[in-house]
Amino acid sequence: MSEFKIKFRGVRGSYPVAKKEFLEYGGNTSCVEVNVGGHLIILDAGTGLIDCGNELLEKYIASGITPQDRKPMKATVLISHIHQDHIQGFTFFRPLHIPSTVVNVFGNANYEESLSDELANLLFGKSFPLDLGDIAGNLNITDLNESEGILLKKNSQPIVKRIDTPEDEKINKDDVLITFYRSYAHPQEGVLIYKIKYKDKVMVYATDKESYLGGDTKLANFARNCDVLIHDAQYTTEDYLNNFVPKQGYGHSTFDMAVECAKQTGAKKLIFYHFDPGYDDKKLNSIKKHYEKSNENVMLAHEGLEINLI
């Protein structure tokens, strides 16, 4: 299936918000659904993952009369890092509790503990009625190492492959390739920046990273000429430099930083993402008006926003 569709499920940072002043952009935390080349890829597992799971479950039930007749749910979940706003929807992802479901989770918590152990400790056991091992579905959790990528081929499980040279990134026309690198511009253990490539289209997911003086050269090279750059934009410059509560060192970018990065990469479209939970619809609309007026290829993410690259 030739499709590359991006759907935003949660666009907030830090914690979810449930107030009427936040309905236009949404109050759920980080989650982006990508349907590409017949595969479902989910970037981060914030509270936005819950609605995604509910819709998948509805389609699963509608696909057949009995469990044996139904089409199993399959997903590849990419975790950027294990801060709460990026994993807190995971235990409430209802497809996990269906025996036929297959979910492959990739990420890297740190160099000392496995992602599986970290998720078990943070989300299950004492903080949830079930242990990680009690999940009914087929859950596979894999730690990614530097210079590795994930290859998605039709009708097969994800393949982790070594990526050392540009030659290693060449794939067949129907395959999907996911590559990444670890950025240390976010405390405590850094964050994984992901790139998804299908046919001649590329999207980059760069959440929870702060920029550097003069820009981020590594990200600029990694995301060079991408079709869509989803970039952290938690703060306005005024909040970032606030004399009383400065945000420097928090591991998040400003809208201006994201614009500068998009210019350096040559990205065809920049999508602001991971908004501060204190920014209501009124404030975000004001920001939208300011940036979209002077940058025609810039837009603010909101829950339900869909972008088709093919």
Side-chain angles (χ1 to χ4, degrees):
M1 182 183 295
S2 293
E3 68 169 346
F4 199 151
K5 183 185 293 183
I6 304 165
K7 184 171 183 177
F8 289 84
R9 294 289 187 170
V11 303
R12 292 284 167 184
S14 302
Y15 56 84
V17 186
K19 295 180 180 179
K20 63 181 180 180
E21 296 88 357
F22 293 77
L23 294 177
E24 186 174 346
Y25 290 88
N28 282 303
T29 56
S30 305
C31 183
V32 178
E33 173 187 348
V34 181
N35 286 281
V36 54
H39 304 277
L40 170 60
I41 300 172
I42 300 172
L43 292 148
D44 276 328
T47 57
L49 181 66
I50 299 170
D51 277 346
C52 178
N54 292 342
E55 289 184 19
L56 288 173
L57 191 61
E58 288 177 7
K59 293 177 182 177
Y60 166 75
I61 293 171
S63 69
I65 297 174
T66 68
Q68 292 74 26
D69 298 328
R70 292 169 184 157
K71 184 179 180 180
M73 292 171 282
K74 298 179 181 180
T76 298
V77 179
L78 308 176
I79 303 295
S80 65
H81 62 311
I82 56 170
H83 288 175
Q84 286 188 358
D85 51 334
H86 294 260
I87 59 172
Q88 59 198 169
F90 192 74
T91 50
F92 300 99
F93 185 56
R94 294 172 68 191
L96 282 176
H97 307 290
I98 303 298
S100 63
T101 297
V102 179
V103 176
N104 296 293
V105 180
F106 295 91
N108 191 295
N110 56 53
Y111 295 113
E112 297 178 358
E113 295 185 74
S114 70
L115 179 61
S116 179
D117 288 343
E118 290 280 29
L119 291 177
N121 292 332
L122 291 168
L123 295 177
F124 294 88
K126 293 182 180 180
S127 60
F128 194 70
L130 299 177
D131 286 322
L132 183 61
D134 296 328
I135 293 298
N138 300 283
L139 177 62
N140 309 300
I141 303 176
T142 302
D143 283 275
L144 293 171
N145 297 310
E146 299 289 346
S147 299
E148 286 183 337
I150 305 164
L151 182 65
L152 301 180
K153 301 178 77 69
K154 258 182 193 176
N155 303 317
S156 69
Q157 282 283 87
I159 301 166
V160 176
K161 62 173 289 186
R162 188 79 182 174
I163 305 287
D164 289 315
T165 67
E167 192 71 20
D168 296 325
E169 295 192 27
K170 291 183 178 179
I171 56 175
N172 295 329
K173 64 176 183 177
D174 293 325
D175 295 344
V176 178
L177 181 65
I178 302 165
T179 54
F180 79 97
Y181 78 91
R182 183 190 292 272
S183 168
Y184 290 96
H186 190 74
Q188 303 267 347
E189 303 289 342
V191 59
L192 301 189
I193 308 297
Y194 289 103
K195 177 163 60 179
I196 301 174
K197 179 181 179 182
Y198 177 61
K199 296 191 183 294
D200 61 343
K201 301 296 182 181
V202 174
M203 68 157 283
V204 173
Y205 180 78
T207 187
D208 289 62
K209 63 157 307 291
E210 196 163 349
S211 194
Y212 304 103
L213 182 65
D216 187 334
T217 302
K218 192 167 187 178
L219 177 57
N221 290 330
F222 182 73
R224 182 74 62 201
N225 298 322
C226 65
D227 294 278
V228 170
L229 172 61
I230 302 170
H231 197 291
D232 187 285
Q234 178 134 342
Y235 306 120
T236 62
T237 300
E238 290 75 17
D239 283 347
Y240 184 79
L241 299 175
N242 185 290
N243 288 328
F244 300 101
V245 189
K247 305 301 192 303
Q248 287 177 315
Y250 280 27
H252 293 288
S253 288
T254 66
F255 292 85
D256 289 332
M257 289 174 181
V259 170
E260 181 61 28
C261 180
K263 289 178 180 177
Q264 291 181 341
T265 65
K268 296 178 180 65
K269 183 178 288 294
L270 167 65
I271 304 179
F272 295 126
Y273 180 72
H274 202 274
F275 307 128
D276 187 275
Y279 290 8
D280 61 13
D281 293 337
K282 183 178 180 180
K283 179 153 188 168
L284 288 176
N285 277 329
S286 175
I287 292 170
K288 176 181 178 179
K289 183 178 179 181
H290 173 75
Y291 285 96
E292 292 188 0
K293 181 179 179 181
S294 54
N295 302 275
E296 61 180 22
N297 295 322
V298 167
M299 63 191 308
L300 273 69
H302 62 80
E303 284 183 31
L305 172 65
E306 292 188 13
I307 295 172
N308 294 309
L309 296 185
I310 294 179

